[in-house]
Structures are given as C-alpha cells and as structure tokens.
Amino acid sequence: EAGGETDERTWDDLFRGYRSAVDMPSQVFAVQLAEKYPGAKVVLTVRASAGVWHESINAAWCRFSKGGMSNWLDQAFFDYRGSEYFNFFLPFERRFRRQNAALEGVFRRTLGGPYESTYSTGRICSDREYAVGFYEAWNSYIMKNIPEERLLVLETGDPDTGRKLGLFLGLDEETAGAYEYPHANSRRLFAVVVAIGRIEAALTLLPPLLLYLAGKKLWRRIGGVVGRIKQD
C-alpha cells in the first residue's frame, strides 16, 4: 500500500512464488516487510561515502528523473516521453511515473521532518547537500528499525563483498568465499539503456513522418491527375 498501511494478504499475494526482492518498490517498505516476514534478512547496500553515492546516481537513474538531468538532451527526451503522444505508443511510461510519484510520497511520510514536504527525486539528483542528508537519514532509519542480527550493511566497493553476503545468507565459508557478488546497472550499462531509450523515443516519431511523406506523395499524384484533367 502506498500509504504505508500493509495488508497481509496483499504482501502474500505480491511475494507468492518469490523468496527475495530488490530495489524499488520493495526497498521503501523494508521495515514493514521485515515485520511481516520475521525470518527475512535485509541487506542495506551503501557506498564509501554519501558523496560517492550521489555521484553514482547522477551517472545513472537521475538521467531518467525530472530535475536530475545533466544535459538538455536527457531533459528533452524526458519531457517527450511524458507526452500524450508518446504514451499512446508506450503507456508503460505513464504507469512508471505514477509509481515513482507514489514512492516519493512513501519516502516523505516515512522519514518525516524536513523531507515530508520537500523530498523529490529531482532534488535528490540536483542538490548534493540535500541528497547527502537524505542518504544518511534513510540509512539510519533502516539500521534503527531492522534487528541487528537480521541486517547486513554492505559496502558495494568492498572486495570481500561476495563472501560477506554469502555468509549472511547462510552459505558455508568455502562456498561463500567463491561467491561472486551480483551486480548490474553499471555506468556503462546505464549509458546503453539511455541510448536505447532515445532510439525507442525516436522510433515513435516515424508514424507521423511516414504519414507526412505518404500524404505529400499522394497530394502530388492528385495534383498531377487534376492537371491532366484540366489539359484534356
């Protein structure tokens, strides 16, 4: 539930057939989910510093967020993808933005204080000082509300990350030592995703372009027919 009130049937329905969840939207409900599933473990990934985290998100998902774009081209595509025309072809974009708006509301209500009336993804991306405060407040909230024995605070840049995660999840020492920390969404991969998004958006411009060219060709033919009729 977006308002923070959890319905046990809803959680069970959502997680039926699954043993774990990562990223949005589950991460904003980490505390509620830990209460609902007392045997669940929680992994809080952090960076070497809040500044490193802020630099990382600006090279990644901020490029898809209002107010977070670092260049005019990202902003232009964001605005276009929010248009009625684009969503006629790909309605997922509208649902995606509604979800993000709802999740922003959860962050505001969860942290309260100065974030209750000011939090937005765009501000997190564009205001470094504000983002650092949010990063520290959110991590503190998780560490305060998740029992220590069920929580692993994991720095993603730690070379021993895989082993620590494996041991936390119940693997033996040997298996954990060979466990490779799963990762995705590198800066290079995000650049590819952004490029694909631009191509996808550009392709939606083809129908009106083709209609224009077809109409122009048809108009020329009609003009030619009319001209021959007049000559006759």
Side-chain angles (χ1 to χ4, degrees):
E1 298 284 341
E5 296 295 328
T6 58
D7 183 326
E8 292 187 0
R9 293 169 298 176
T10 301
W11 288 128
D12 287 340
D13 288 341
L14 287 172
F15 288 99
R16 185 171 290 113
Y18 295 92
R19 300 183 60 187
S20 62
V22 298
D23 211 340
M24 294 290 191
S26 58
Q27 73 178 56
V28 299
F29 299 108
V31 172
Q32 293 92 328
L33 289 170
E35 292 173 352
K36 162 62 183 170
Y37 301 106
K41 295 181 178 181
V42 178
V43 179
L44 173 64
T45 54
V46 298
R47 296 301 182 98
S49 69
V52 171
W53 168 77
H54 190 248
E55 179 184 347
S56 174
I57 64 173
N58 269 279
W61 53 261
C62 281
R63 300 186 67 181
F64 296 97
S65 306
K66 184 70 173 178
M69 287 80 176
S70 59
N71 61 69
W72 68 269
L73 193 56
D74 283 345
Q75 184 66 58
F77 273 98
F78 178 88
D79 292 339
Y80 173 62
R81 290 172 69 91
S83 68
E84 291 295 327
Y85 174 79
F86 180 85
N87 281 275
F88 174 79
F89 293 97
L90 296 169
F92 167 78
E93 183 73 19
R94 184 180 291 112
R95 296 195 297 271
F96 177 72
R97 295 191 186 197
R98 283 202 299 264
Q99 172 189 277
N100 284 348
L103 293 175
E104 285 185 353
V106 176
F107 275 126
R108 294 189 194 105
R109 290 187 293 271
T110 299
L111 290 182
Y115 303 102
E116 189 167 5
S117 60
T118 62
Y119 176 85
S120 72
T121 304
R123 184 165 183 185
I124 288 293
C125 295
S126 60
D127 187 335
R128 186 180 187 280
E129 183 178 354
Y130 182 88
V132 167
F134 167 80
Y135 174 87
E136 294 173 347
W138 181 257
N139 289 347
S140 295
Y141 164 75
I142 295 296
M143 288 186 278
K144 178 181 178 181
N145 289 282
I146 302 294
E148 185 177 352
E149 66 276 9
R150 294 172 58 194
L151 176 67
L152 173 65
V153 180
L154 195 65
E155 184 182 328
T156 56
D158 185 345
D160 201 27
T161 295
R163 188 185 70 85
K164 290 178 180 178
L165 179 59
L167 291 174
F168 179 69
L169 296 178
L171 301 179
D172 60 73
E173 183 70 43
E174 182 180 355
T175 305
Y179 185 70
E180 183 178 352
Y181 176 68
H183 64 279
N185 297 338
S186 64
R187 295 189 187 191
R188 180 176 297 180
L189 178 60
F190 249 94
V192 173
V193 172
V194 170
I196 291 173
R198 290 175 177 174
I199 294 172
E200 181 183 66
L203 288 175
T204 64
L205 297 173
L206 282 178
L209 178 60
L210 293 175
L211 285 173
Y212 168 76
L213 293 175
K216 189 175 181 179
K217 187 174 182 179
L218 179 61
W219 183 254
R220 286 178 177 174
R221 287 189 175 183
I222 292 174
V225 171
V226 171
R228 285 196 296 270
I229 291 174
K230 287 181 177 180
Q231 288 176 1
D232 293 341

